[in-house]
Structures are given as C-alpha cells and as structure tokens.
Amino acid sequence: MEPLPPLAPPPGRSALPVGRWFLLAGTAVALVVAVAVTAILMALGQTLTARDTVVDVIDPAALQTLRITTALQAQGSAVRAYGLTNERQYLDEYRRGVADEQAATAAILALTPRLPEPDQERRELERLSAATAAWRHDYTEKVVAAVPTAGTGALTRELATVNVTRFAEVRAALAARQARLDALHDLGSRRLRAGWDTIYTSVWVLIGALVLAVAGCTVIVRRAVTIPVARLTRQVRAVAAGDFDHELGVERPAELWELSGHVDGMRRRIMAEWRAASEARRRLAEQAEELRRSNAELEQFAYVASHDLQEPLRKVASFTRLLDQRYGDRLDDRARQYMAFAVDGATRMQELIEDLLDLSRVGRTGGERVPTDSGVALRGALRNLDTLLTEAGAEVTHDPMPMVVGNASLLTQVFQNLVGNAVKFRSQEPPRVHVGVRRDGEMWEFSCSDNGIGIDPKHAERIFLIFQRLHPRDVHPGTGIGLSLCRKIVEYHGGRIWLDTAAGPGATFRWTLPAAGDAG
C-alpha cells in the first residue's frame, strides 16, 4: 500500500507551533525549578551533614561520656565495698569498671576527628583522663593494695579525704566535657533548623513556579489545543455517526492541521478499501456457498463411490475364493498364486477404501468434543486389539488416564492405531508397550513407547503422510494411513502429534489433548 501524499501548507498557518510555546514556557519554568532544586539539594546536604554530626558523632560521644561517668561511679562503689568486706567479687567489679571506662575513652577518641574543633576535644579528654588517673593513683589503687594486709581497715580517713578531693576534680572535668557536648548539640540543632528553613522556602518557590507553569499551560492548551480539538472532535463525531463523506480539517495549530489532514487522508483510503472489501466479501460469500455445495456433493459422491467400489471388490474376492475351493485341485501352482494375488489385491483395495473413508469423516460426522475419560477410550482400543495382543504375547501398561475434551470413538482410533503399530513393528523380544501421561499447562501430553524395531529419525515427518510406508507390505502389512488418521484426529482436537527421536530404543510417539477443566 502506497503512503499518503504530503500535505500542502494551509493558508494563514500559525508561525509558532504549540510545541514551541510549550518549549518556551517549559524553559522558563525549568530555570526556576533548577534554581529551587539546587537550593534544596544544597540545604539537604548541609542538613544531612548537621544531622550526621549530631546523631552519629555528638550524641554517641555524649553517650560514651555518660558511660565513663557510670564506670567511675561503679569503680568508687566497688572499691568502697571491697575495703569494707574484703570480698573478691567487688575487686572484679572494680576492674570491670576500669575496663568499661577505657573502652568508652577509646570510643570517644575514635569519634574525636569528626567533632568540631577536635584539638580542643582531645585536650578536654586528656584532662578527664588525667583526673581519673590521679584519682585511681591516689585513692582506688591504694585501697586495693592495702586490703590484702589491712583487711577492712584499709579505708582510712586520709584516703577518704583524698577520694573527695580527687573525685571532685573528675566531676569538674566531666561537667566541662558535658557542657561542651551540649553546646555542640545546640549548634547542630540550629544548623538543622536553618537547613530545614531553607528547604521549606525553596519548596514554596518551587510550588509557586509550578502554579505559574500550570496557569500558563492552561492558557496555551485552551487557545492552541482545546478549541481546535473540539472542532476536530465534532467533525470526527459526524463521520462516526455515518456521514463518511464528511471532510476533516482544522487550520491551526500546525500539529493539529497535519493530524487532521492525515486522518482525512486515511478516511478517504478506508472508504475506498471498505468499498473494495464489501465487494470482496460478497464474492467470497458466493464462493463459500458454492464450496459448501461442492463439499456436500463430494461427500455424497465419496459415500456412493465407496459403496459401489466395495461391492464388486467383495464379489471378486468371494468368487475367486470359490474358484480356489472348487477347482483348486485342477490348477497348477502358478494359477493358484494368481488367484491369491487377486484375493489379496481386492482385500487391500477394500482396506484402503475403508481407511480413506475414516480419514475423510474426521471432524465432519459424529465428532462432537465433550469431557471424555481417556481411560475408557484406551480400554476400548485394547479390547479391539485383544486377539493381536494375545497372539504376540504383548504386555500393555499405562499411567492413570485423565479427563480430556474430545470424542471417545476418535480417541479410541488413536490409541488403537498407535498400540497396534507398536505390536506390529515388534522386535525379537515380546512386545512391551507403555502409555504415559503428564500435564503440560492446559493440555495433557500422552506418550506411547515400545521396545520394537524403532524408526529412523530422518523419517519423523514422512511417517505422518498418507500412504507413506517404511517397510514392504509382505514384511509388515498395512495401508499407510494409520498415522495420518492419528494426526488428523489429534489436530482436530486442537493438539499435535510427533515422534520423539530422543526417547531411546524402540519408538515413542507423543501427542497432546486439551484438559477437561480441573478434572482428571
């Protein structure tokens, strides 16, 4: 189909398309938004930095300072209890307190580089460490050293006075450190509030820019889009109401002018194609009616022809057998061979006619598809093959058979042909046939596997063609229609059938059938 011809420019075409208006308005809004977003990002960066300093550095440092305070108090209580009782557990508590103090001090030292004015922070921490070291040197360590010899008399008035003096220095150092941390926390909080104020201001500026953008876009859309679209909509509505010859078109803006021109071109082409299609449908309907009449005549002809063909064939076979019975002893070996050829030919022709009729009837007569138990169809096929299976000593096994959507008699033919082929083309071993089933989505996949002579993979497609045989008839009898019939039945049910060339020794045929809901 050839493309539509290019449109000629309309008279009075707008110099500025809608896209250009939106581009200008969008550029102005984008600049305002960019400035506001930049301010927001910078404020967010400062706010996050202040927040990280407060939450991840100052607050943990304050927590570790509190931990030092708790550890020092635990040391003082443990030393006093040890001096009064001379019990080992209090000495262990004292040493745990010392370890906790050292761990907290190490944690603060790790946080110090991230604090504001880290040098001053180190000096205050050194002051605190010196005060705690002096307190332990002049009081706690002396008590601990004196208890083993002096017992409960290790706590003297002199040591108690030293404890008060030294621990006052420790409290002063802790208070100075806590005051500095509080000041740093207040500074971080002020920075957080300032950052959030900047963010709020930028957000309001951004909202104002968006409001102006929406107002501007509303004006542009109304003047350049809404009114022309309404006009074009009225024209399209007229066409949809049945006035297919109504022309479409608006002069501006440029985009809608081009769109309406192309749509009108398509309308004209669709009208031409519709008229051509209507004529083609009329001719197709006439041809379909003629084809239905021809098919009905062919079906009638096939039935009559098969009946008329089988009757003389039956007579030929019957009278040839009568000749052999009455005059066989008067004929030589060659004459009797000729008579056998005649009987065999007539029998083969009858089999071919019956198989061709079965093939032509698939899907036309008695082929209603309903929920069907595939196990019933398999058992019917095995009953029909009972004599063949018994004479061959065949063993047929199968999985639990599911419910499928199909025709019972047609499915029986599929099982009968496949199992019969498995027995017919057997090897030296007794035939072993297994019919398997597995679920594959909305389909059931069946398989028929045997231990027979197998099939060359190069014949995987050829075997499903009508009258295609891989072996001479005197070796394996048959008409060459069985697998063609199976294929037509399976495809009539919406499935497919194939030879599994990777299944190992013997032959394995697989085919699919639609599942009957959740049954089976």
Side-chain angles (χ1 to χ4, degrees):
M1 183 177 292
E2 296 181 358
L4 295 172
L7 299 174
R13 181 176 178 180
S14 175
L16 194 62
V18 174
R20 193 72 56 80
W21 279 106
F22 279 112
L23 179 61
L24 293 176
T27 302
V29 173
L31 290 175
V32 176
V33 171
V35 172
V37 170
T38 302
I40 290 174
L41 293 177
M42 293 176 63
L44 278 176
Q46 296 173 358
T47 303
L48 289 176
T49 301
R51 179 260 180 199
D52 292 342
T53 301
V54 172
V55 176
D56 298 337
V57 180
I58 296 176
D59 287 349
L63 181 62
Q64 295 300 328
T65 301
L66 180 61
R67 184 181 173 189
I68 291 175
T69 302
T70 304
L72 290 172
Q73 291 174 351
Q75 292 175 39
S77 299
V79 165
R80 187 179 302 107
Y82 182 56
L84 294 174
T85 62
N86 193 16
E87 292 183 3
R88 182 73 178 181
Q89 60 176 349
Y90 296 111
L91 179 60
D92 294 338
E93 290 180 5
Y94 165 72
R95 289 173 178 171
R96 283 196 297 270
V98 173
D100 288 343
E101 177 194 352
Q102 293 173 349
T105 302
I108 294 175
L109 284 174
L111 294 171
T112 298
R114 300 171 60 186
L115 286 168
E117 300 179 359
D119 293 337
Q120 182 177 350
E121 180 67 20
R122 290 192 185 92
R123 287 194 296 271
E124 290 184 357
L125 190 61
E126 290 173 357
R127 176 188 171 191
L128 175 61
S129 300
T132 56
W135 174 65
R136 277 194 295 272
H137 179 270
D138 296 339
Y139 171 64
T140 60
E141 295 298 334
K142 290 183 177 181
V143 172
V144 169
V147 166
T149 56
T152 57
L155 287 176
T156 63
R157 291 182 179 274
E158 292 79 5
L159 288 178
T161 303
V162 171
N163 176 39
V164 172
T165 303
R166 294 302 186 193
F167 204 76
E169 296 173 357
V170 171
R171 286 197 185 94
L174 286 172
R177 174 165 181 75
Q178 188 61 46
R180 172 170 170 73
L181 291 175
D182 291 341
L184 291 177
H185 189 279
D186 293 339
L187 176 62
S189 298
R190 288 194 297 274
R191 289 179 178 176
L192 280 174
R193 285 193 295 272
W196 282 116
D197 290 341
T198 303
I199 292 173
Y200 292 147
T201 303
S202 301
V203 168
W204 280 113
V205 172
L206 184 59
I207 291 174
L210 293 178
V211 170
L212 291 177
V214 170
C217 290
T218 301
V219 173
I220 294 174
V221 168
R222 177 171 176 77
R223 295 180 61 86
V225 178
T226 304
I227 295 175
V229 166
R231 186 182 307 120
L232 182 60
T233 300
R234 288 193 295 272
Q235 297 172 359
V236 173
R237 188 179 294 116
V239 174
D243 186 6
F244 300 117
D245 294 325
H246 188 89
E247 293 188 1
L248 306 176
V250 293
E251 295 181 357
R252 57 180 60 85
E255 293 88 350
L256 284 181
W257 163 80
E258 183 178 2
L259 175 62
S260 63
H262 287 311
V263 171
D264 192 62
M266 288 189 290
R267 177 192 62 81
R268 293 193 297 270
R269 174 171 291 180
I270 290 172
M271 287 299 299
E273 294 293 336
W274 176 70
R275 293 187 178 98
S278 297
E279 180 63 20
R281 284 196 298 271
R282 184 187 62 79
R283 291 196 299 267
L284 184 62
E286 294 176 354
Q287 293 175 358
E289 181 62 29
E290 181 64 24
L291 184 60
R292 283 192 294 270
R293 185 168 54 254
S294 176
N295 284 340
E297 293 174 354
L298 286 175
E299 291 179 10
Q300 182 66 23
F301 171 78
Y303 174 77
V304 174
S306 64
H307 182 272
D308 293 343
L309 283 174
Q310 290 190 59
E311 182 59 29
L313 287 173
R314 281 193 293 269
K315 289 183 178 180
V316 169
S318 299
F319 282 105
T320 303
R321 291 191 186 95
L322 289 174
L323 284 173
D324 183 53
Q325 292 173 3
R326 180 169 295 185
Y327 303 106
D329 54 348
R330 305 179 189 179
L331 300 176
D332 57 12
D333 292 340
R334 176 163 295 184
R336 285 194 293 272
Q337 185 180 20
Y338 290 162
M339 292 175 64
F341 288 161
V343 173
D344 181 66
T347 303
R348 289 176 57 193
M349 181 61 73
Q350 285 180 314
E351 292 176 354
L352 284 172
I353 292 172
E354 291 292 342
D355 289 347
L356 284 173
L357 284 176
D358 289 340
L359 189 65
S360 66
R361 291 192 191 103
V362 173
R364 288 205 319 246
T365 58
E368 295 78 8
R369 288 165 290 185
V370 296
T372 303
D373 187 352
S374 59
V376 174
L378 176 60
R379 289 192 292 273
L382 296 180
R383 283 196 301 271
N384 296 338
L385 296 171
D386 183 64
T387 301
L388 175 64
L389 298 176
T390 302
E391 291 177 354
E395 178 184 351
V396 180
T397 58
H398 62 84
D399 293 343
M401 306 300 287
M403 295 291 293
V404 298
V405 177
N407 179 269
S409 61
L410 294 179
L411 297 182
T412 299
Q413 286 183 280
V414 173
F415 285 118
Q416 183 171 330
N417 283 338
L418 293 176
V419 175
N421 281 352
V423 176
K424 183 191 302 183
F425 298 101
R426 60 182 179 271
S427 61
Q428 298 298 325
E429 300 178 0
R432 298 291 180 267
V433 185
H434 179 72
V435 179
V437 186
R438 75 176 186 88
R439 188 66 180 257
D440 184 11
E442 296 181 357
M443 309 290 284
W444 284 107
E445 181 183 296
F446 293 81
S447 64
C448 181
S449 305
D450 61 58
N451 61 342
I453 60 177
I455 301 174
D456 193 326
K458 67 181 181 180
H459 301 306
E461 290 297 327
R462 177 188 168 196
I463 56 177
F464 291 103
L465 301 178
I466 192 170
F467 298 134
Q468 295 297 314
R469 299 176 51 85
L470 303 182
H471 306 279
R473 191 176 185 279
D474 55 352
V475 177
H476 295 290
T479 61
I481 299 179
L483 289 178
S484 300
L485 179 62
C486 291
R487 186 176 198 171
K488 188 169 184 181
I489 292 174
V490 170
E491 290 178 351
Y492 168 70
H493 285 80
R496 66 185 186 96
I497 185 171
W498 69 96
L499 173 68
D500 188 349
T501 57
T508 298
F509 287 91
R510 299 185 183 275
W511 68 100
T512 57
L513 295 173
D518 295 331

